[in-house]
Amino acid sequence: MLVKSASFIISNSQVSKCPKSKLPEYAFIGRSNVGKSSLINALCNCKNLAKTSSRPGKTQLINHFLINENWHLVDLPGFGYARVSKTQKKVFQKFITNYFKERIQLVTAFLLIDIRHEPQPIDLNFMQWLGKNSIPFSIIFTKADKLKAEAIDRNIANYSGKLLETWQTLPPKFVTSSVNRCGVEDVLAYIDFLNQSLKSSL
Ligand code: GDP
């Protein structure tokens, strides 16, 4: 899919204030510093659409972007950042869970995982929660440029093995880098495929 236009629509902390339009929506979420803003910018071919920050945990709102006038990309707050207070964490958790439970426009979530890291309980628990709530998701491994091909394969096999301890089937997965753009087109093609499937099912 060619991204011809991408524009910021609204930021807010309440799902009730998200855009009313019925456009299909794709949410991006992951631990702070996972490379979410960089990947969103790479997907949209924009340098500064999503705000990359040297201070993790800065983007703490639900951010809607309109892509090609026909779907929404949603940048959700990064989670698991230690410097955020417990009370603040609870508030984020609440509005993120509300978003997932209530946002009927959501087609699928993309959970971003740094390809260099061992599976983390916070991500595994979040996937369990998505599964329990029947929310479709894919995994996007980020920062693939930081590893050699063999290490990428090894880490993905390790991650898949961990997931297969509790899941019967694995979610779709993408291996990406915002630096060399590997996998970026694959994520866009998947979104395009889902958008087309939605159209033909109407
Ligand atoms: P966010 O907090 O998840 O939005 O993460 P950012 O996009 O702000 O990225 C966090 C840090 O990781 C920044 O220093 C980025 O330059 C770096 N980074 C993000 N994506 C990549 C990538 O694909 N490859 C490499 N090598 N670094 C990346």
Side-chain angles (χ1 to χ4, degrees):
M1 178 196 339
L2 198 61
V3 173
K4 293 187 201 133
S5 63
S7 52
F8 168 73
I9 304 294
I10 192 170
S11 286
N12 66 73
S13 60
Q14 282 172 41
V15 63
S16 60
K17 291 189 181 158
C18 289
K20 299 272 176 277
S21 99
K22 295 202 171 69
L23 292 177
E25 194 157 300
Y26 298 86
F28 289 74
I29 191 163
R31 299 174 74 211
S32 303
N33 223 24
V34 70
K36 179 165 55 72
S37 314
S38 304
L39 182 71
I40 290 173
N41 289 334
L43 289 166
C44 298
N45 242 330
C46 294
K47 276 212 168 88
N48 293 312
L49 192 65
K51 293 199 178 52
T52 50
S53 73
S54 48
R55 227 190 79 193
K58 220 173 154 195
T59 47
Q60 290 155 3
L61 295 166
I62 303 170
N63 303 295
H64 273 77
F65 299 93
L66 177 63
I67 313 296
N68 289 350
E69 309 287 328
N70 76 348
W71 57 278
H72 279 134
L73 183 156
V74 181
D75 181 7
L76 291 174
F79 56 76
Y81 180 50
R83 263 199 266 167
V84 169
S85 75
K86 265 195 182 157
T87 331
Q88 247 180 323
K89 259 188 207 162
K90 276 199 178 144
V91 175
F92 300 156
Q93 260 169 16
K94 189 78 196 146
F95 78 70
I96 294 171
T97 50
N98 285 349
Y99 169 84
F100 281 112
K101 283 183 173 169
E102 293 172 26
R103 192 69 179 158
I104 50 173
Q105 292 89 335
L106 180 71
V107 179
T108 200
F110 291 102
L111 175 62
L112 276 60
I113 308 271
D114 188 322
I115 193 142
R116 297 168 300 170
H117 297 167
E118 287 284 317
Q120 305 281 319
I122 193 165
D123 292 317
L124 298 170
N125 293 342
F126 185 61
M127 286 185 239
Q128 291 296 339
W129 184 86
L130 289 171
K132 267 195 202 123
N133 287 279
S134 309
I135 296 157
F137 68 92
S138 300
I139 294 178
I140 296 185
F141 291 102
T142 61
K143 308 191 187 182
D145 60 284
K146 294 214 181 209
L147 294 181
K148 295 209 167 78
E150 310 84 70
I152 291 177
D153 291 346
R154 196 169 52 238
N155 288 9
I156 291 177
N158 180 32
Y159 214 101
S160 302
K162 184 74 192 168
L163 289 178
L164 288 169
E165 288 174 13
T166 45
W167 292 83
Q168 276 184 338
T169 50
L170 293 173
K173 62 174 184 311
F174 300 90
V175 178
T176 67
S177 159
S178 309
V179 170
N180 65 19
R181 294 188 58 85
C182 89
V184 169
E185 302 306 325
D186 296 336
V187 176
L188 288 171
Y190 182 59
I191 292 174
D192 196 32
F193 164 76
L194 293 175
N195 281 340
Q196 300 302 333
S197 320
L198 286 172
K199 263 193 212 152
S200 56
S201 68
L202 287 178

